[in-house]
Amino acid sequence: MSIFEYNGSAVVAMVGKNCFAIASDRRLGVQLQTIATDFKRISKIHDRVFIGLSGLATDVQTLYQRLVFRHKLYQLREERDMKPETFASLVSAILYEKRFGPYLCQPVIAGLGDDDKPFICTMDSIGAKELAKDFVVSGTASESLYGACEAMYKPDMEAEELFETISQALLSSVDRDCLSGWGGHVYVVTPTEVKERILKGRMD
Amino acid sequence: MECVFGLVGNGFAIVAADTSAVHSILLHKNNEDKIMVLDSHKLVAASGEPGDRVQFTEYVQKNVSLYKFRNGIPLTTAAAANFTRGELATALRKNPYSVNILMAGYDNESGASLYYIDYIATLHKVDKGAFGYGSYFSLSTMDRHYRSDMTVEEAIELVDQCILEIRSRLVVAPPNFVIKIVDKDGARDYAWRQTVQDVTTAAV
């Protein structure tokens, strides 16, 4: 079993009309055993940038702490929040620093840039950025997620429809993956508000 | 094989651990206390390589005391758990400790809590947790009977059920267990569950 599949995870982000949604599963496992069903994989960097980290849970926690630290320093120096593109470059640089002993995580970054334009990207564990205009996925359920998102996605969805779409894509994909699931955690972010919702799916 | 498990009840947390010190096929002693009293209101139940277990838990205990002497107030359970995770995470890619930890504590502001800390520094706050082969039996038993508002008597009944399950179904089941409790009155021994006691011979 690969070390990326040790804890199990599923993260997806989608772009809508002046909004974005980012969702993850809630299972924390140790190979076949489930430890907890309320593990947080998505973290807020600031009101308009979120990062979802899939992969090894210990590195998810370490990397999140390092990124929050770097962003807080940035805020103190620049007296403003980081743009999502800048933050993505920061994450990529931090991951590549450990090129020959990497953090075993695959981040998904989603944010609202200038003019409320949504930005999403994903990268591998050594920081190779992949920008996308529609959706990005990562985790043990990534292959199922690619299929579900491709089928269900359409451009320029409003916040409510985007929430429905990303939730259905997430739940149907994790149902095909034994290492992820036990519900879902969805953030839908518009220029005016952040809506956090918990999904109840197949609890198994 | 080492069995450690614990749960949170109404204003208290209980942890139980087996008490065998094993080296290959030989049982060195059957009254080894694996639950350390970290400070007045914290318990650390540790399982893993014996040298690492004692060294690492003592290191954490001394640092927690140092904080209290330097700052005049003790650490909260969450802070102690995060410190422990930090030490494990720093050592992970240099000189890893093979110790799994369940940290139970009581704080006046937040009540009783239990933290699951894996040997690769995965930290999660849980209501019930377990490590080792015994976890396959104790976690399922706890899943079935656990409620968040259990009294001490009900929780001890559940702990005894878990111990019975481990004893009857695990092929290399440990003979003896120690149970410790932490609540507003502090961390202390609760009971020992022994099936094999040390034989003492008369002085010649």
Side-chain angles (χ1 to χ4, degrees), chain B residues 3-34:
Chain B
C3 306
V4 172
F5 60 95
L7 56 113
V8 174
N10 192 6
F12 67 92
I14 281 184
V15 279
D18 78 289
T19 58
S20 345
V22 171
H23 196 130
S24 172
I25 56 165
L26 175 67
L27 186 71
H28 278 300
K29 63 190 289 214
N30 55 20
N31 56 359
E32 165 85 0
D33 190 353
K34 297 178 190 170

Side-chain angles (χ1 to χ4, degrees), chain A residues 33-101:
Chain A
Q33 189 178 62
T34 300
I35 302 298
T37 56
D38 57 356
F39 189 67
K40 244 181 49 121
R41 281 198 172 82
I42 299 175
S43 315
K44 187 174 93 158
I45 300 295
H46 62 81
D47 280 329
R48 291 159 71 96
V49 168
F50 283 71
I51 181 165
L53 289 153
S54 67
L56 196 63
T58 177
D59 284 346
V60 163
Q61 291 175 327
T62 304
L63 194 58
Y64 166 66
Q65 287 172 345
R66 283 196 67 185
L67 291 170
V68 160
F69 170 71
R70 292 295 297 266
H71 182 255
K72 282 183 177 173
L73 262 184
Y74 182 95
Q75 273 179 326
L76 285 171
R77 290 181 176 138
E78 300 261 333
E79 293 179 6
R80 64 186 178 92
D81 290 332
M82 251 191 211
K83 284 191 225 169
E85 297 83 359
T86 318
F87 182 69
S89 295
L90 172 69
V91 179
S92 175
I94 285 179
L95 289 173
Y96 197 78
E97 263 176 7
K98 304 270 183 206
R99 170 64 178 84
F100 299 108

Side-chain angles (χ1 to χ4, degrees), chain B residues 5 13-19 30-35 43 152-153 155-157 159-160 163 167 175-182 187-195 197:
Chain B
F5 60 95
I14 281 184
V15 279
D18 78 289
T19 58
N30 55 20
N31 56 359
E32 165 85 0
D33 190 353
K34 297 178 190 170
I35 306 181
L43 289 171
V152 178
E153 293 72 30
I156 291 294
E157 242 181 74
V159 165
D160 281 329
I163 292 174
R167 278 200 185 128
N176 301 338
F177 283 80
V178 62
I179 305 172
K180 296 199 182 183
I181 186 171
V182 59
R188 56 193 182 281
D189 259 39
Y190 184 89
W192 284 68
R193 299 282 187 249
Q194 290 173 307
T195 51
Q197 259 137 343

